[in-house]
Amino acid sequence: MRAGAADARRAAVLGKPIAHSLSPALHRAAYQELGLTDWSYDRFEVDEAALPGFMAELGPEWAGLSLTMPLKRAVIPLLDEITDTAASVEAVNTVVFTEDGRRVGDNTDIPGMVAALRERGIEQVDSAAILGAGATASSALAALARICTGEVVAYVRSEARAAEMRQWGERLDVEVRTANWADAAQALRAPLVVATTPAGTTDALSSAVPERPATLFDVLYDPWPTELAARWSGYGGAVVSGLDLLIHQAVLQVEQMTRRGPAPLDAMRKAGEHELAAR
């Protein structure tokens, strides 16, 4: 049954820059499959300074927001509540507007990472390595807290970053050891390698991929494949991409915002792949 005009709802992704976001393609595909013909999903370029004003103007038709950098921490003071998952890494990528008008923040990146790995058959590992130490690395640590039974080695460029990762490990109850980025080639022998660095950073490591690699989770998706992912898959290793992560975290967002499920994973994946190919 087609929803009436009175049931029209809105959602959007916010961030800066935002023109590259695949979220509109993913969410709109989900709405189509779920029969939510009066739902819309847009993108808005919003920075930290503009965020309070933007949120203050949102009306009752709004169902939720997806947030990307640099808003994942800036939004927290503007919310009524955040989930334990979001609080664990002090980052919100999802805001849901409840029926009673409350604004609840969550982080679907963390369970999205776990779901993306599970889709490839990775339920548990006894150790892991993380390349990088930024905001995505803390989310990766939180995901590893759910599936890694042993040590996580984080390869970083500075002692300040190393200290941050050790602090995140203590907070998330993950055994974290830090190592210098100069030794990052050693990371590639881990049962699970999570690359959280910007485009091009791991290119130099591609020549060090072992002959029988295990699993690589590279959070990038454009351009794809990265040199590291291409060499990894060429040697027969399992590769999980940033698109996999984006889709799985968006699935959870759709289910929370629409209060319907399951979200159409396959349709959302096809929409994301089509959008990337069109670029």
Side-chain angles (χ1 to χ4, degrees), residues 178-262:
T178 55
N180 193 287
W181 183 263
D183 298 321
Q186 297 177 10
L188 308 186
R189 300 187 179 277
L192 172 61
V193 181
V194 185
T196 70
T197 52
T201 306
T202 62
D203 288 356
L205 297 177
S206 61
S207 61
V209 174
E211 290 186 2
R212 295 182 180 180
T215 300
L216 170 68
F217 194 155
D218 194 325
V219 302
L220 297 174
Y221 63 83
D222 189 14
W224 186 262
T226 62
E227 287 191 25
L228 181 60
R231 180 66 67 90
W232 198 278
S233 60
Y235 280 178
V239 176
V240 184
S241 74
L243 182 60
D244 296 318
L245 167 59
L246 190 66
I247 292 165
H248 278 282
Q249 64 84 27
V251 161
L252 297 170
Q253 289 184 336
V254 168
E255 292 173 351
Q256 289 188 29
M257 293 179 191
T258 67
R259 299 180 180 86
R260 299 194 186 191

Side-chain angles (χ1 to χ4, degrees), residues 57-109:
E57 295 178 359
L58 300 181
E61 74 278 13
W62 282 85
L65 298 170
S66 307
L67 301 173
T68 185
M69 299 304 292
L71 304 179
K72 293 184 179 183
R73 290 184 178 162
V75 74
I76 293 176
L78 308 176
L79 303 176
D80 298 300
E81 177 187 347
I82 65 172
T83 65
D84 290 342
T85 301
S88 72
V89 290
E90 297 179 359
V92 166
N93 78 325
T94 307
V95 177
V96 175
F97 300 95
T98 65
E99 293 180 356
D100 60 1
R102 291 174 58 79
R103 298 176 174 188
V104 180
D106 193 16
N107 187 308
T108 63
D109 285 333

Side-chain angles (χ1 to χ4, degrees), residues 26 119 244 247-248 265-274:
L26 303 181
E119 186 179 32
D244 296 318
I247 292 165
H248 278 282
L265 175 66
D266 290 343
M268 295 170 72
R269 187 188 305 279
K270 288 178 182 177
E273 291 172 346
H274 178 77

